[in-house]
Amino acid sequence: MKEREKWSSGIGFILAAAGSAVGLGNLWKFPYIVGKNGGGAFVLIYLAFLFTIGLSVILGEMVIGRATQKNVYGAYRSVSPKFAKVGTLGIITGFLIICFYSAVGGWTVRYMLAYLTTGVSGDPALYFSQFTASPWQSIGCQILFLLITAFIVYRGIAHGIEKASKLMMPMLFVILLVLVVRSLTLPNAMEGVRFFLKPDFSKVTSHTVVAALGQAFFSLSVGMGTLITYGSYIDKKENLQKTAFYVPLLDSIVAMLGGFAILPAVFSFGFAPTEGPSLTFITLPAVFESMPFGRVFGILFFILLFFAAVTSAISMYEVIIAYLVEEKKISRKKAVIGLTCVIALFAAPCALSQGILADFKLFGKTVFDLFDFTASNILMPVGGILMCIFIGYIWKPKNAVEEIRNQGKFSFPLKGIWTFVIKYAAPIAIVVVLLSATGIVK
Ligand code: TRP
């Protein structure tokens, strides 16, 4: 049999995993949630979750992957056939996420090209609604985004995903720094910084704490086996504890810088902060319009957003591709082509959800919102809980610890705490997020 592919270096894995974590969530959601939920006070709670429960869960996923050297489905099944279904769940989750994520990915492609060629002028809200109302434009851009993603994944682990991440992640970082400097040197920039970070402990309620935890999980992309899959390509000689630590570190740095790049500029020109598509596709274009050399910053910003979206999308793809190649014995090329066709079919209604399908509702939600809600608020947390149960009670922490210690090559000083978090703290915390995100408990 052909030898399984591997990352060519530890840093390759770190950048790919950070690329998966760093996504639209960091840039269009985080700054606003922080500002609305108590600023610096929220950041502290968020970081505390990120580096305790979040980090433990990341390490948990990675160790399953590295120990079994398999795709999500194969990894769970090789230990417990009953748990193979958790792998299936991960694959379904990834599929749903890529469907709506690629719609937004298509918008980033569209804006990037628009800023590069003609610029975006006129009323930004009208511009956005005219673009999304056109089925051909929205679907065309989405397909372009999917093809770029598919091509990278088709090239394989070291030559595709790793190479793309090694190129895009450092560039993303540099662009972000340029935008931060520009934003912070605008008149009245401090007003945005104050909105972003001024600690307000009176705003910290149980709701805030749950929001911080939910954002931490979504931002780290845990709960669907992305890091099981990526972890399965890590060389046995790497120290998993060290590599795992970089993921929340880079993810939170980008999220914080995102806040410094966006909010001061928004406030400086007298706009109100928002989140989601309206922030990135309406408010920010209006900001660029008011700014000297705004078009240059528009180009940079949408390249940044595009890189963030692509490096996340390839990780969702790879979860499914690894499964098709290893379990269904389909060649990588055929798997990528077939998957892209199927995704395009299901993703199209998501791209149309802002336009001609805006009034088509299932369970009271557009197709876009339904996929987002089901995957992000239900399936990801459920997958995360089952992953912890799997390590804590089925596979057993001592086997995981053995893999982390690499047959005694590394010491694992936090072994006791990690085991406690995986067996008790993390599952309980995720249940709380799940209940709140689904609206069962308010
Ligand atoms: N973490 C990504 C972001 O911040 C979103 C995300 C959620 C994701 N689940 C994922 C990305 C699974 C890749 C794979 O935007």
Side-chain angles (χ1 to χ4, degrees):
M1 214 177 106
K2 224 172 76 198
E3 213 195 309
R4 208 162 183 279
E5 262 210 270
K6 274 197 187 106
W7 306 107
S8 73
S9 59
I11 185 85
F13 165 82
I14 291 170
L15 290 177
S20 167
V22 170
L24 301 164
N26 301 57
L27 299 169
W28 83 14
K29 219 163 150 202
F30 182 80
Y32 184 80
I33 302 192
V34 173
K36 277 283 161 204
N37 283 290
F42 181 91
V43 172
L44 291 181
I45 301 170
Y46 173 79
L47 290 178
F49 281 138
L50 210 58
F51 285 95
T52 51
I53 297 179
L55 178 57
S56 303
V57 175
I58 289 179
L59 185 59
E61 281 208 14
M62 281 169 54
V63 72
I64 295 175
R66 222 247 326 240
T68 58
Q69 308 265 300
K70 287 193 166 60
N71 65 89
V72 227
Y73 178 89
Y76 280 113
R77 199 199 44 197
S78 67
V79 176
S80 152
K82 252 204 253 140
F83 265 72
K85 288 197 196 67
V86 181
T88 313
L89 185 79
I91 291 163
I92 296 171
T93 313
F95 184 82
L96 292 177
I97 299 183
I98 186 77
C99 286
F100 71 85
Y101 216 82
S102 61
V104 184
W107 301 345
T108 66
V109 171
R110 171 67 170 56
Y111 273 68
M112 189 169 63
L113 296 178
Y115 271 102
L116 280 168
T117 52
T118 54
V120 171
S121 53
D123 176 2
L126 190 66
Y127 189 93
F128 183 64
S129 65
Q130 274 175 352
F131 156 59
T132 48
S134 152
W136 297 118
Q137 286 198 42
S138 4
I139 293 183
C141 293
Q142 178 178 45
I143 289 180
L144 195 57
F145 179 81
L146 284 172
L147 289 177
I148 298 168
T149 309
F151 178 73
I152 298 171
V153 174
Y154 158 71
R155 303 264 300 144
I157 303 310
H159 295 288
I161 300 176
E162 179 170 351
K163 223 166 150 189
S165 309
K166 276 184 172 163
L167 179 77
M168 291 184 193
M169 292 310 287
M171 278 174 72
L172 177 146
F173 207 72
V174 172
I175 295 177
L176 195 53
L177 285 177
V178 172
L179 294 176
V180 168
V181 170
R182 169 69 286 202
S183 189
L184 284 176
T185 49
L186 286 166
N188 274 331
M190 277 307 132
E191 213 182 309
V193 175
R194 238 174 274 129
F195 170 82
F196 184 36
L197 287 184
K198 188 165 179 264
D200 182 354
F201 284 92
S202 73
K203 283 211 187 120
V204 177
T205 59
S206 62
H207 183 81
T208 328
V209 176
V210 174
L213 194 55
Q215 173 68 13
F217 279 113
F218 183 78
S219 184
L220 291 174
S221 319
V222 289
M224 54 158 286
T226 323
L227 289 170
I228 296 181
T229 310
Y230 274 14
S232 74
Y233 305 121
I234 300 179
D235 196 284
K236 286 278 181 196
K237 67 179 192 305
E238 295 286 337
N239 183 352
L240 291 179
Q241 301 164 69
K242 205 179 87 205
T243 25
F245 181 74
Y246 282 102
V247 182
L249 182 70
L250 294 173
D251 187 51
S252 53
I253 291 177
V254 172
M256 293 301 289
L257 290 177
F260 285 119
I262 293 168
L263 293 169
V266 168
F267 276 85
S268 175
F269 292 101
F271 293 98
T274 49
E275 65 173 332
S278 71
L279 170 70
T280 36
F281 297 101
I282 298 174
T283 310
L284 287 176
V287 168
F288 298 136
E289 185 97 326
S290 332
M291 205 187 249
F293 304 106
R295 181 146 160 217
V296 175
F297 296 104
I299 294 174
L300 289 177
F301 179 76
F302 284 101
I303 292 179
L304 170 82
L305 209 60
F306 170 74
F307 283 172
V310 174
T311 47
S312 295
I314 53 183
S315 73
M316 304 166 204
Y317 246 77
E318 181 57 28
V319 168
I320 309 175
I321 293 297
Y323 163 77
L324 293 173
V325 171
E326 290 170 15
E327 304 295 323
K328 301 287 171 204
K329 309 285 176 237
I330 303 174
S331 76
R332 195 166 184 90
K333 186 169 170 188
K334 282 197 185 129
V336 169
I337 296 173
L339 179 66
T340 306
C341 294
V342 179
I343 290 176
L345 211 61
F346 284 85
C350 295
L352 299 177
S353 288
Q354 296 277 331
I356 55 173
L357 290 184
D359 294 321
F360 175 73
K361 302 260 166 83
L362 294 166
F363 306 102
K365 290 182 181 352
T366 61
V367 179
F368 185 111
D369 290 341
L370 183 68
F371 279 25
D372 181 11
F373 179 82
T374 312
S376 317
N377 293 6
I378 303 176
L379 300 181
M380 277 180 67
V382 168
I385 296 166
L386 292 172
M387 193 279 291
C388 294
I389 294 175
F390 173 79
I391 296 184
Y393 306 92
I394 310 290
W395 186 35
K396 298 283 153 56
K398 79 170 189 333
N399 291 312
V401 167
E402 202 44 33
E403 177 71 26
I404 293 169
R405 295 186 62 233
N406 226 344
Q407 275 76 39
K409 207 168 117 211
F410 301 115
S411 70
F412 183 20
L414 299 178
K415 157 178 117 188
I417 300 177
W418 182 73
T419 306
F420 173 81
V421 172
I422 291 287
K423 282 181 89 163
Y424 310 104
I428 293 171
I430 308 176
V431 166
V432 174
V433 171
L434 181 67
L435 293 178
S436 136
T438 50
I440 295 173
V441 174
K442 279 251 172 3

